[in-house]
């Protein structure tokens, strides 16, 4: 029996218990109500970029999980170029444009797991906890979170790093994920990345500040 390939043909050298998934942030916003969504996506993108930078510094893999816009012959670079040059949300895409060290997975439907290589990639990365962020909270983020929960991943869905057409819809989705998928939905500023790899823990604070406990990723 052949030995198990431990490095995914050299394509996934990183190993970390955590991974940051950026869902559908590379987007041309060519659909009804796009302007309504963009109103929330633009400020969210700046917050998400800060979260991504902190994750990268701590060695946490960043994975773009993105719609293929129904173009089965497309590749991710072409999708990025299309959204930068022609998309209505080109400012969001330019801000969150993937880098050489990032991973990507193209998806045909709402969930990042449906008919994609995401689960295989996460297995090689030895990931146990997913940080989900992106667009839209009440569709693709929610569907991806549901499938991740069914696969026994722990979930973090920062409330300020996912948006929907309205705040009400987004808040409803976050409440669903917190209640039924056991997702931690605290804001991204309360996620603390450490340089060393290890378990997620909560740091004790005085009782009066207990509501502001941070998640520490080591």
């Amino acid at each position: 029996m052949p030995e198990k390939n431990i490095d995914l043909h050299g394509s996934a050298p990183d190993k970390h218990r955590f991974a940051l998934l950026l869902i559908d942030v590379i987007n041309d916003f060519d659909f009804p109500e796009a302007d309504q969504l963009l109103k929330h996506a633009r400020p969210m993108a700046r917050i998400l970029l800060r979260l991504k930078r902190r994750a990268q510094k701590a060695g946490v893999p960043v994975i773009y999980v993105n719609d293929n816009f129904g173009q089965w012959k497309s590749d991710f670079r072409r999708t990025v170029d299309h959204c930068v040059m022609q998309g209505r949300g080109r400012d969001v895409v330019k801000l969150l444009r993937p880098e050489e060290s990032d991973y990507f997975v193209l998806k045909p439907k709402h969930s990042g797991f449906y008919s994609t290589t995401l689960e295989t990639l996460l297995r090689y990365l030895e990931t146990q906890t997913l940080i989900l962020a992106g667009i839209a909270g009440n569709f693709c983020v929610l569907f991806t979170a549901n499938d991740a929960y069914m696969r026994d991943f722990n979930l973090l869905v920062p409330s300020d790093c996912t948006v929907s057409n309205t705040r009400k819809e987004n808040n409803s989705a976050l409440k669903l994920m917190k209640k039924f998928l056991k997702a931690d939905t605290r804001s991204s500023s309360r996620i603390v990345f450490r340089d060393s790899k290890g378990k997620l823990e909560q740091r004790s604070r005085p009782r009066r500040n207990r509501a502001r406990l941070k998640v520490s990723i080591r």
Side-chain angles (χ1 to χ4, degrees):
M1 185 174 179
E3 276 188 41
K4 178 184 175 183
N5 180 5
I6 60 171
D7 67 354
L8 201 62
H9 301 287
S11 300
D14 299 316
K15 303 289 181 185
H16 207 291
R17 294 182 57 170
F18 297 85
L20 173 61
L21 272 57
L22 275 58
I23 300 169
D24 284 347
V25 297
I26 306 303
N27 202 309
D28 61 4
F29 292 91
D30 184 18
F31 49 81
E33 301 180 342
D35 289 337
Q36 189 178 9
L37 184 57
L38 269 170
K39 180 177 69 174
H40 303 293
R42 287 187 171 109
M44 181 274 291
R46 293 189 288 271
I47 298 171
L48 182 51
L49 180 62
R50 290 197 292 270
L51 179 65
K52 179 187 175 182
R53 290 285 178 254
R54 294 195 292 118
Q56 289 175 316
K57 190 174 181 180
V60 173
V62 176
I63 306 171
Y64 284 74
V65 181
N66 221 89
D67 197 271
N68 67 1
F69 301 106
Q71 302 298 314
W72 288 97
K73 293 182 180 179
S74 70
D75 59 40
F76 192 50
R77 291 181 183 85
R78 188 175 299 177
T79 298
V80 173
D81 290 342
H82 163 75
C83 293
V84 167
M85 293 186 294
Q86 302 179 35
R88 296 166 68 184
R90 58 177 63 92
D91 52 334
V92 172
V93 178
K94 287 179 180 178
L95 197 63
L96 295 173
R97 190 167 188 157
E99 298 158 274
E100 199 68 34
S101 60
D102 298 328
Y103 299 99
F104 71 87
V105 172
L106 280 175
K107 62 185 179 67
K109 292 289 185 179
H110 298 83
S111 172
F113 288 92
Y114 179 77
S115 295
T116 76
T117 58
L118 179 59
E119 188 170 5
T120 301
L121 173 58
L122 293 172
R123 184 171 73 248
Y124 276 92
L125 294 174
E126 298 180 1
T127 299
Q128 298 175 26
T129 298
L130 303 179
I131 307 169
L132 304 184
I135 303 167
N138 59 337
F139 282 104
C140 295
V141 175
L142 176 60
F143 279 62
T144 301
N146 183 74
D147 281 359
Y149 178 77
M150 295 290 287
R151 289 163 173 78
D152 294 323
F153 287 100
N154 301 311
L155 296 174
L156 277 164
V157 187
S159 57
D160 55 347
C161 288
T162 181
V163 293
S164 306
N165 282 350
T166 67
R167 292 185 187 277
K168 182 178 179 180
E169 290 173 326
N170 204 61
N171 289 337
S172 295
L174 288 167
K175 287 178 182 177
L176 284 172
M177 288 185 273
K178 183 175 183 178
K179 181 176 181 179
F180 296 108
L181 308 182
K182 307 298 185 290
D184 189 323
T185 59
R186 68 189 66 207
S187 66
S188 60
S189 63
R190 296 177 186 174
I191 299 174
V192 180
F193 293 99
R194 302 295 183 187
D195 290 334
S196 58
K197 303 173 185 178
K199 64 181 181 178
L200 179 148
E201 60 184 32
Q202 294 187 357
R203 298 191 304 187
S204 298
R205 288 193 171 193
R207 184 176 297 275
R208 66 179 181 277
N209 291 330
R210 187 155 296 174
R212 295 179 59 80
L213 286 177
K214 295 185 178 181
V215 170
S216 178
I217 295 177
R218 298 188 175 185

